[in-house]
Amino acid sequence: MFTAHRTEDGMRVIVEAETADTEALFKQFDEAPEVSSYEILRADQRSVLFQLEALEQAPRIAAHTAGILPQYPMILRNGWQTIEAITSWERLSQLKEEFERADVSFEVLSVTQPIETTHLLTDRQWEVLTEATTRGYYDSPRGCSLTELAAALDVNPSAVSGVLHRAEEQIIKAFVAETKQVDGLDRPG
């Protein structure tokens, strides 16, 4: 779903569906009492883009009541709609209550808190990492050696190596934790 707007009688949405059988899809709409109209905007062998007018459904009403502003596009796959939203814990709890009250089946796939990059590294780590990046230390092949980087920063190579290692550890752990590739990994900070 790309966008949705309330109308006097319900909702107007623009949806792109991946399907090779548009006839079957629109036959379902023809038989659904909550769908008042639809218009095909574009179609090819793999997908169809259409505008649909229908009654507002319980999940959307619950989200609206909880004050949740969903982000678009939304994905609808195999009868499940995936919604991303930026919200507070209080509104998320209210959404859960609204879903339960409306008997809406739901599953929370993930709750994340964005990493504040300004708190990820110390000022010194930022300084050394920026200098290393600027001088090509992370290029392949390297634009400068650890010894050259240390000379530019006027410190010994082992100090630069230690600062970079700790910065790299924070960045890598934060990235892996954010992408959920390793269970149980503590976020830095």
Side-chain angles (χ1 to χ4, degrees):
M1 182 180 316
F2 288 113
T3 188
H5 299 283
R6 283 184 148 173
T7 63
E8 231 178 77
D9 301 323
M11 297 294 301
R12 179 178 299 127
V13 298
I14 295 181
V15 179
E16 182 173 37
E18 292 181 9
T19 180
D21 192 357
T22 57
E23 283 184 37
L25 176 67
F26 291 115
K27 185 175 190 292
Q28 288 180 348
F29 292 154
D30 289 335
E31 296 170 359
E34 64 272 11
V35 175
S36 58
S37 68
Y38 60 87
E39 175 186 357
I40 299 172
L41 304 174
R42 176 189 49 78
D44 58 34
Q45 281 99 358
R46 297 182 315 211
S47 66
V48 60
L49 182 70
F50 57 95
Q51 181 172 297
L52 176 80
E53 295 204 25
L55 296 176
E56 190 170 18
Q57 299 298 299
R60 171 89 182 181
I61 295 169
H64 180 74
T65 302
I68 303 288
L69 298 173
Q71 294 177 298
Y72 293 94
M74 290 184 200
I75 298 170
L76 177 61
R77 183 173 290 125
N78 299 325
W80 284 89
Q81 186 170 19
T82 303
I83 300 171
E84 290 186 29
I86 298 171
T87 192
S88 66
W89 285 108
E90 291 80 20
R91 288 190 191 271
L92 187 60
S93 294
Q94 188 178 356
L95 178 63
K96 176 184 178 286
E97 291 169 12
E98 293 297 330
F99 278 167
E100 289 171 347
R101 187 173 327 182
D103 199 29
V104 172
S105 297
F106 70 96
E107 179 180 341
V108 176
L109 299 177
S110 69
V111 175
T112 60
Q113 187 169 357
I115 296 169
E116 188 64 45
T117 57
T118 57
H119 302 298
L120 190 61
L121 302 178
T122 66
D123 290 343
R124 181 64 175 159
Q125 289 171 333
W126 272 115
E127 177 188 358
V128 173
L129 187 65
T130 300
E131 190 68 25
T133 304
T134 302
R135 292 183 174 275
Y137 179 76
Y138 291 106
D139 293 351
S140 185
R142 288 192 193 276
C144 77
S145 67
L146 187 64
T147 305
E148 293 167 330
L149 181 58
L153 293 165
D154 198 27
V155 294
N156 68 46
S158 65
V160 171
S161 177
V163 171
L164 286 177
H165 179 76
R166 286 186 297 280
E168 292 161 358
E169 176 186 15
Q170 294 292 82
I171 292 166
I172 290 168
K173 283 183 175 179
F175 174 78
V176 171
E178 187 69 21
T179 58
K180 300 170 201 64
Q181 298 300 309
V182 177
D183 289 332
L185 185 65
D186 291 331
R187 279 197 183 156

